[in-house]
Amino acid sequence: MIRSRAATRIRLGLLLLAPAMASAQTAVTSGAGIDYQPSILRAADSSLLLVFERLDGSFSGDLYLTRSLDDGESWSTPVAIEATAANERHPALLQLGDGSYALFYLKGSGAASSFRLHRATSADGIGFTEQGQLQLGWVTGGEVNPHLIRHPDGTLTLTYHRLSGSSYVAQSSDNGLSWDQLKTAIAAGNSQLPRIAFRPSDGRYLLTYQVGSSPLSMYAKTSTDVRDWSAAPIDFAVSGDNHDSLPVLMPDGAFVAFYIHANGAQYDIYSRRSTDGMNFESPLAQIESADASDVQPHPLVGTSPDVVQLYWGRESPVGSSAYDIYRKREAIVADGVFHGGFE
């Protein structure tokens, strides 16, 4: 049944009148340690798994996992799943077709050139075993910040960037055991944090990434050929200071990209929606907190085309480097409600 826009607006209006708990912001983690960079998924058994990096005072990380059996209302005590003397950061968690799990992350120590991307696997989502470095065709190190999606046919698509260099995409047809060696560039120059979404209905990819240092500008690209990213970049968020984008595909076929924007001393979270990967609706405010800085938004898409669960890292107070993982139960992503005003 085709849903009218008027019906959608009415339903969203009812959401706005729902109890405050529906959109409450609650902590998933707490206590000592800098908890940052969540990777969230809904498992086949409907439980939620969240992997995040926990940093020490020198910003060296280990990876922790927590689980929810009640759709995110409560969480287990986080346990370390990748914790060595090396620096392990930026997790990307997937569940594979056979029900097992694959975790991807950067790992290194000392010089930045030591960083490589690694993979660990788990049969049950509890204990993970490292399987070694991803072979992506590079002789020297410096690959960081993996982001992965799984296609309906089981293909994995990985985006990452080389430190002080360009961003790249690679694919695997064997659950991440091996990867193509093509080193396909997707964004040139000092491009960072490339992240990708895919729409199976028309084979369209949406890529978002950031460029610069301080401030950072954000751009988007779209393509129906994973090997061809020659199209000109689209200005996504180029006014002010913008970071940490992540695009996702919604159940109605629309793309929604989350990101953060600096408002004074702190960062707040916004989203923008697009039906074609080229034209984006105005920014929609998701998290605005005068007394906190909110970063690295990671949405959990469900069955609704209008609402996601949202997870991110929150620093409170601003400037303290005291981060915990937070959750918003219902983040509205449809157009027509709460449009922002800095574009």
Side-chain angles (χ1 to χ4, degrees), residues 162-232:
R162 300 265 294 171
L163 287 169
S164 300
S166 299
S167 295
Y168 298 88
V169 65
Q171 290 190 317
S172 170
S173 59
D174 56 10
N175 290 333
L177 179 64
S178 63
W179 296 86
D180 71 64
Q181 307 287 298
L182 300 175
K183 295 181 282 188
T184 303
I186 52 179
N190 186 21
S191 54
Q192 306 147 39
L193 281 184
R195 291 167 174 168
I196 201 166
F198 177 71
R199 185 164 61 195
S201 62
D202 60 356
R204 181 164 299 278
Y205 291 90
L206 174 65
L207 171 75
T208 59
Y209 60 97
Q210 60 198 42
V211 174
S213 56
S214 181
L216 284 163
S217 297
M218 306 211 63
Y219 297 91
K221 283 188 175 184
T222 186
S223 177
T224 55
D225 181 353
V226 77
R227 301 301 169 194
D228 182 3
W229 295 92
S230 58

Side-chain angles (χ1 to χ4, degrees), residues 77-134:
T77 301
V79 295
I81 55 173
E82 291 295 332
T84 71
N87 189 1
E88 290 136 334
R89 297 190 61 176
H90 205 284
L93 180 65
L94 294 175
Q95 187 168 30
L96 306 175
D98 62 1
S100 66
Y101 299 85
L103 176 66
F104 300 84
Y105 49 98
L106 68 85
K107 181 176 181 178
S109 59
S113 60
S114 74
F115 288 119
R116 310 305 292 254
L117 303 186
H118 286 251
R119 167 177 166 263
T121 58
S122 172
D124 55 12
I126 299 174
F128 284 78
T129 302
E130 187 172 284
Q131 303 296 332
Q133 174 189 321
L134 305 192

Side-chain angles (χ1 to χ4, degrees), residues 37-295:
Q37 186 69 42
S39 179
I40 178 76
L41 66 75
R42 185 182 300 280
D45 65 0
S46 294
S47 63
L48 302 185
L49 276 69
L50 187 148
V51 178
F52 62 94
E53 60 185 44
R54 176 166 287 175
L55 311 181
D56 62 19
S58 62
F59 288 88
S60 180
D62 295 320
L63 302 183
Y64 281 72
L65 181 144
T66 179
R67 184 186 309 266
S68 174
L69 302 179
D70 55 9
D71 201 33
E73 297 302 315
S74 63
W75 294 85
S76 64
T77 301
V79 295
I81 55 173
E82 291 295 332
T84 71
N87 189 1
E88 290 136 334
R89 297 190 61 176
H90 205 284
L93 180 65
L94 294 175
Q95 187 168 30
L96 306 175
D98 62 1
S100 66
Y101 299 85
L103 176 66
F104 300 84
Y105 49 98
L106 68 85
K107 181 176 181 178
S109 59
S113 60
S114 74
F115 288 119
R116 310 305 292 254
L117 303 186
H118 286 251
R119 167 177 166 263
T121 58
S122 172
D124 55 12
I126 299 174
F128 284 78
T129 302
E130 187 172 284
Q131 303 296 332
Q133 174 189 321
L134 305 192
Q135 301 300 322
L136 299 169
W138 301 102
V139 176
T140 60
E143 304 97 73
V144 295
N145 298 342
H147 178 250
L148 291 101
I149 55 173
R150 183 176 181 272
H151 296 255
D153 67 358
T155 299
L156 303 186
T157 295
L158 160 73
T159 56
Y160 63 97
H161 72 265
R162 300 265 294 171
L163 287 169
S164 300
S166 299
S167 295
Y168 298 88
V169 65
Q171 290 190 317
S172 170
S173 59
D174 56 10
N175 290 333
L177 179 64
S178 63
W179 296 86
D180 71 64
Q181 307 287 298
L182 300 175
K183 295 181 282 188
T184 303
I186 52 179
N190 186 21
S191 54
Q192 306 147 39
L193 281 184
R195 291 167 174 168
I196 201 166
F198 177 71
R199 185 164 61 195
S201 62
D202 60 356
R204 181 164 299 278
Y205 291 90
L206 174 65
L207 171 75
T208 59
Y209 60 97
Q210 60 198 42
V211 174
S213 56
S214 181
L216 284 163
S217 297
M218 306 211 63
Y219 297 91
K221 283 188 175 184
T222 186
S223 177
T224 55
D225 181 353
V226 77
R227 301 301 169 194
D228 182 3
W229 295 92
S230 58
I234 301 159
D235 290 353
F236 177 80
V238 297
S239 176
D241 189 16
N242 306 279
H243 301 235
D244 302 352
S245 65
L246 197 157
V248 292
L249 180 71
M250 299 301 294
D252 62 354
F255 294 107
V256 174
F258 288 78
Y259 65 105
I260 66 172
H261 173 80
N263 287 319
Q266 92 277 0
Y267 287 95
D268 296 321
I269 299 176
Y270 297 84
S271 66
R272 298 186 72 183
R273 182 177 178 272
S274 173
T275 57
D276 60 7
M278 294 173 281
N279 299 286
F280 290 85
E281 296 174 2
S282 298
L284 190 63
Q286 295 295 344
I287 307 294
E288 292 181 311
S289 306
D291 58 347
S293 197
D294 299 299
V295 301

